[in-house]
Amino acid sequence: MKPNVLFIIDSFEQGGSERQALQLLRQLHSSGEVRVHLACLQDRGSLRAEAEDLGIGEIHEYPLTSFYDLNFAKQIRRFTSYVKENEIDVVHTHCFYTNIFGMTGAYLARVPARITSKGETDGFRTPTQKRAERTSFRLAHRVIANCLVVQHQLIREGLSPKRIIQHYNGLDLDRLKAAAGLSRDEALKRFALPQGRRFITIVANLRNPVKDHPMFLRAAARVRAAVPDAAFVVAGEGELMPSLRELAAALEIGDDVHFIGRCDDVASLLFASHVGVLSSKAEGFANAILEYMAASLPVVATDVGGVREAIVEGKTGHIVPSGDDEAMAARIIQVLKDDENARRMGVRGQAI
């Protein structure tokens, strides 16, 4: 009999952990070796259609309002009933909220194999939240760390090294391949971007301040002053967009920064771009960097999380201190002023 594997994700928004989970679920489903199930805490987001296309059956939602109210107990009871009725053999959670909810329910339901994930470093969670998550790790049989920095942090926080599996994020390379025969002009038209500009692009959600888009915009203003044909793309959706538009206007680069919202065609966007940027204050192993490199873009990123495990300084891109928009701008300008070296960086990055 095939083992029953249940994945739990927070939502179907275009987040790194959600996309990683669906990518792994798709591969397991295609293998035919297991029977996969999927549950979520929030049944919303653009990735919902992709999940439905897999044809794996009903996707159950367990909406939470708190970890400390009667609703949490109600959802745990629903979850444990589902797990027992469907004879789930493996529960795999993929982020902070699903770690706590899923491991609690899986432990109470006595699921034989409980796997959780950690893809964040310090900077994302409060001390109380971190204590709660450590409890969930104690209920798990294995914790997957998505980079060495995260693995070392888990060990410092008291988790046994024997329970940690360090495994880098995977990447769907087909998703990063631009359509055959696509011209740059055609790619620009897809996003209503002007011709005759060189685009510096950041792909990150606009919901979490830890992505530090203000740093990116401050660097953008410096770059624009030094490189007249430079322009900037902010790809992502979230409630921070209005304030970021206001900041761009205040920096007098409102006409040079293009907020394109959610991007379902990352391959075409990166095909039209010249530099990929990460400005985060904290990360685990950033999917955006992998996507930039797969698209043959030189990368300029802040020195956070597992960035140094992905970028070879001076060879595939540049690493700058978090919050230092002057250093970021200098490196972007350096890349833009040496096309041949930028091309070599992109080629090396894709090879890695």
Side-chain angles (χ1 to χ4, degrees), residues 113-189:
R114 303 184 294 272
I115 303 169
T116 188
S117 306
K118 180 69 173 177
E120 302 172 346
T121 53
D122 287 335
F124 284 86
R125 305 296 167 193
T126 67
T128 300
Q129 288 177 322
K130 291 181 68 174
R131 285 193 294 272
E133 189 172 45
R134 283 197 293 270
T135 298
S136 76
F137 293 155
R138 288 195 289 270
L139 302 179
H141 295 103
R142 292 292 184 272
V143 178
I144 298 176
N146 71 351
C147 63
L148 292 173
V149 169
V150 170
Q151 179 184 24
H152 296 158
Q153 177 177 312
L154 288 170
I155 294 171
R156 288 196 306 271
E157 293 174 351
L159 191 64
S160 169
K162 294 180 180 180
R163 299 175 69 186
I164 304 171
I165 298 174
Q166 192 276 307
H167 191 281
Y168 290 115
N169 294 345
L171 193 64
D172 182 356
L173 292 176
D174 289 338
R175 178 172 168 265
L176 277 302
K177 290 180 181 177
L182 179 70
S183 70
R184 186 166 185 272
D185 286 348
E186 290 172 332
L188 292 173
K189 288 179 182 178

Side-chain angles (χ1 to χ4, degrees), residues 81-336:
S81 295
Y82 174 84
V83 166
K84 291 176 181 178
E85 289 170 4
N86 289 272
E87 300 180 337
I88 299 298
D89 300 293
V90 181
V91 169
H92 189 180
T93 60
H94 293 269
C95 66
F96 169 76
Y97 292 102
T98 61
N99 288 345
I100 295 171
F101 176 80
M103 288 302 102
T104 300
Y107 176 80
L108 292 174
R110 299 183 179 180
V111 174
R114 303 184 294 272
I115 303 169
T116 188
S117 306
K118 180 69 173 177
E120 302 172 346
T121 53
D122 287 335
F124 284 86
R125 305 296 167 193
T126 67
T128 300
Q129 288 177 322
K130 291 181 68 174
R131 285 193 294 272
E133 189 172 45
R134 283 197 293 270
T135 298
S136 76
F137 293 155
R138 288 195 289 270
L139 302 179
H141 295 103
R142 292 292 184 272
V143 178
I144 298 176
N146 71 351
C147 63
L148 292 173
V149 169
V150 170
Q151 179 184 24
H152 296 158
Q153 177 177 312
L154 288 170
I155 294 171
R156 288 196 306 271
E157 293 174 351
L159 191 64
S160 169
K162 294 180 180 180
R163 299 175 69 186
I164 304 171
I165 298 174
Q166 192 276 307
H167 191 281
Y168 290 115
N169 294 345
L171 193 64
D172 182 356
L173 292 176
D174 289 338
R175 178 172 168 265
L176 277 302
K177 290 180 181 177
L182 179 70
S183 70
R184 186 166 185 272
D185 286 348
E186 290 172 332
L188 292 173
K189 288 179 182 178
R190 292 186 181 186
F191 304 99
L193 298 174
Q195 297 183 17
R197 307 294 294 273
R198 286 186 289 173
F199 289 98
I200 298 90
T201 295
I202 182 169
V203 180
N205 76 72
L206 275 64
R207 296 184 295 273
N208 196 329
V210 78
K211 299 299 182 180
D212 203 1
H213 286 86
M215 176 194 175
F216 173 74
L217 293 177
R218 291 193 298 270
R222 294 177 182 275
V223 173
R224 179 66 180 84
V227 183
D229 67 336
F232 311 88
V233 176
V234 177
E237 58 185 348
E239 57 272 18
L240 297 178
M241 186 180 291
S243 63
L244 293 173
R245 287 185 181 276
E246 291 177 3
L247 178 58
L251 292 168
E252 299 183 348
I253 54 171
D255 294 336
D256 302 300
V257 181
H258 302 268
F259 292 87
I260 66 171
R262 185 182 77 230
C263 181
D264 294 323
D265 187 3
V266 175
S268 295
L269 174 63
L270 299 185
F271 179 75
S273 301
H274 291 78
V275 184
V277 173
L278 179 90
S279 56
S280 298
K281 298 176 184 177
E283 282 288 350
F285 195 69
N287 291 319
I289 290 179
L290 300 182
E291 293 176 347
Y292 299 153
M293 292 169 67
S296 298
L297 289 183
V299 184
V300 177
T302 45
D303 191 4
V304 294
V307 165
R308 289 187 178 273
E309 297 172 49
I311 297 175
V312 180
E313 169 60 39
K315 299 295 184 181
T316 63
H318 295 293
I319 303 170
V320 301
S322 175
D324 192 340
D325 56 273
E326 185 174 359
M328 174 169 279
R331 287 305 196 182
I332 294 173
I333 292 167
Q334 181 180 344
V335 171
L336 292 176

Side-chain angles (χ1 to χ4, degrees), residues 53-74:
D53 288 344
L54 295 174
I56 59 174
E58 185 178 359
I59 299 170
H60 288 263
E61 180 190 28
Y62 300 94
L64 301 181
T65 52
S66 169
F67 291 137
Y68 310 103
D69 60 8
L70 291 176
N71 177 64
F72 183 79
K74 173 185 175 182

